[in-house]
Amino acid sequence: MTDLPMPTVRDASSDRDARAPEQEHAPQPDVRSEGPLVDRFGRPHHDLRISLTDRCSLRCTYCMPAEGVPWLARSTMLSTDEIVRVARVGVELGITEIRLTGGEPLLRVDVVDVVRRLTALTGPHGSAEVSLTTNALRLPALASPLRDAGLSRVNVSLDTLDRGKFIELTRRDKLVETLAGLAAADAAGLHPVKINAVAMRGVNDDEVVALTRFAVDRGYQMRFIEQMPLDGGHTWDRTQMVTQAEILDRLTSAFTLTEVPGRGAAPAELWYVDGGPQTVGVIASVTAPFCAACDRLRLTADGQLRACLFAQDEVDVRAVVRDEAVDDGAVADAFRRCLAGKKAGHGIGEPTFRQPDRPMSAIGG
């Protein structure tokens, strides 16, 4: 496949053209064989998302069918030592942020030990910040131990404040437990506590304002996400997706929004709510892609390095770390081979786009 053209990024609040300068996304001859992790489009990479498991305690409709999806074989899952080794090499190559994902990462029985060991890693930029994305169900028991182990903050998935909708969306009656998990994270000092909500037409798009008020009143940070083609059932329909523009229309009907400058490589575009300090954000991966500034790599629970959520290719680092004959140089080479295959953009909307075979639960968020 040829490289996809770099998508044009447009700022929804001003509709100004935010295309990266041509020299910033023109492909370079190759990926560096040494030094920092920089891809052939000149993008430095500092963020590693690590999936600890593909298992999950919920069955969200936009992620997997009611019966779930086939779980990864236990024998293919990376051990804690293997995860730490891959992460250590990544940190030595310049990774400064590690986000633990799933599935539901808190289902991993040794998650506190994983966090403790990852926060001890150091590289040329010092220690990496370790955060975690969770459905919050186990946070009442784990928030304080995780904080003591060095976890910096959490992102909690919460798509609705309505119990009936929550049951319909997740196929589980766990809203009370989710809210308790948010409160536990806040009490433990895992700040900022962020809430992620996937906006869905006719499901929860009428709660955009209510969710934002809930977050602002409690000092949480609200983030809305455009629904992406990552569901296990491959039923995603772009025409039914709630766009960033629609989300902002609803928000501006109730709040005064002021754009927060200095987005950098962050996936969310942020606005101060009624003058701040609280913010609301939108992750508009489909209608306003931020591929030009992407600095993320992903490690699946079964040891595959991915350059993009929508990548069709993976680099098998599990085979590398299980080969006793190879040293850490081979792990570093796996990172570089993964970067070598990274494309300019995810290509959603292009004729050649194909949804990944893996669902989000198997890739890691």
Side-chain angles (χ1 to χ4, degrees):
M1 293 176 62
T2 57
D3 293 318
L4 297 173
M6 180 63 71
T8 300
V9 181
R10 301 191 72 84
D11 181 293
S13 61
S14 63
D15 199 36
R16 67 179 181 272
D17 192 341
R19 182 185 296 272
E22 190 67 28
Q23 67 269 22
E24 289 184 6
H25 62 78
Q28 304 302 308
D30 52 30
V31 176
R32 297 178 183 179
S33 59
E34 58 183 21
L37 290 171
V38 179
D39 71 9
R40 57 203 171 116
F41 299 95
R43 295 172 293 199
H45 286 67
H46 302 294
D47 189 328
L48 178 63
R49 308 291 173 94
I50 300 177
S51 176
L52 297 185
T53 178
D54 62 329
R55 273 68 170 174
C56 190
S57 43
L58 301 178
R59 295 292 182 272
C60 296
T61 56
Y62 53 80
C63 186
M64 63 179 74
E67 64 276 12
V69 294
W71 303 128
L72 298 171
R74 294 283 184 184
S75 61
T76 69
M77 307 283 275
L78 291 183
S79 69
T80 298
D81 286 346
E82 291 166 343
I83 289 172
V84 172
R85 182 183 179 191
V86 175
R88 175 173 54 76
V89 173
V91 170
E92 290 170 354
L93 292 171
I95 292 296
T96 59
E97 297 180 47
I98 296 173
R99 173 82 62 82
L100 301 179
T101 69
E104 171 46 51
L106 296 185
L107 291 181
R108 188 169 178 121
V109 295
D110 64 343
V111 63
V112 174
D113 184 50
V114 172
V115 169
R116 182 177 294 108
R117 294 180 64 181
L118 292 178
T119 56
L121 301 178
T122 58
H125 304 291
S127 299
E129 178 189 65
V130 180
S131 60
L132 184 144
T133 297
T134 175
N135 61 26
L137 297 184
R138 299 200 67 213
L139 279 178
L142 290 175
S144 291
L146 287 167
R147 180 61 178 170
D148 292 344
L151 190 72
S152 62
R153 56 185 174 81
V154 294
N155 286 24
V156 173
S157 300
L158 176 64
D159 299 311
T160 178
L161 297 170
D162 180 274
R163 181 185 174 194
K165 285 185 185 179
F166 190 96
I167 294 171
E168 183 179 354
L169 278 169
T170 68
R171 304 183 178 102
R172 301 290 187 272
D173 187 3
K174 297 292 184 180
L175 177 60
V176 172
E177 290 86 344
T178 301
L179 298 179
L182 275 166
D186 188 24
L190 293 170
H191 298 143
V193 176
K194 298 181 181 180
I195 299 176
N196 294 339
V198 177
M200 291 162 279
R201 192 176 307 284
V203 178
N204 67 345
D205 54 336
D206 61 338
E207 290 190 75
V208 167
V209 170
L211 281 163
T212 303
R213 286 196 193 282
F214 171 84
V216 168
D217 288 348
R218 290 159 180 79
Y220 306 152
Q221 295 186 6
M222 191 69 224
R223 303 289 183 266
F224 293 99
I225 304 173
E226 289 183 339
Q227 189 173 358
M228 294 177 285
L230 289 165
D231 58 302
H234 287 210
T235 60
W236 181 81
D237 181 353
R238 179 167 183 155
T239 64
Q240 294 302 307
M241 184 192 71
V242 180
T243 66
Q244 180 187 58
E246 293 174 276
I247 293 168
L248 291 176
D249 281 345
R250 289 187 179 270
L251 289 171
T252 54
S253 71
F255 308 105
T256 299
L257 301 185
T258 307
E259 186 176 359
V260 178
R263 176 179 179 178
E269 188 171 2
L270 303 181
W271 290 265
Y272 290 115
V273 178
D274 292 337
Q278 298 307 119
T279 61
V280 64
V282 181
I283 300 174
S285 300
V286 179
T287 65
F290 39 89
C291 303
C294 181
D295 69 342
R296 286 168 291 287
L297 293 169
R298 286 176 167 79
L299 176 66
T300 67
D302 60 345
Q304 307 302 306
L305 281 170
R306 297 175 63 90
C308 176
L309 273 174
F310 303 98
Q312 297 296 333
D313 300 318
E314 299 176 332
V315 172
D316 186 357
V317 74
R318 181 186 70 227
V320 175
V321 297
R322 292 185 179 178
D323 184 346
E324 296 180 359
V326 302
D327 59 16
D328 287 347
V331 180
D333 180 64
F335 274 98
R336 299 191 190 284
R337 283 187 287 125
C338 182
L339 268 185
K342 187 160 186 170
K343 299 186 183 302
H346 53 51
I348 296 176
E350 297 291 331
T352 56
F353 178 77
R354 180 166 62 89
Q355 183 171 340
D357 294 331
R358 284 184 186 255
M360 184 69 146
S361 60
I363 296 172

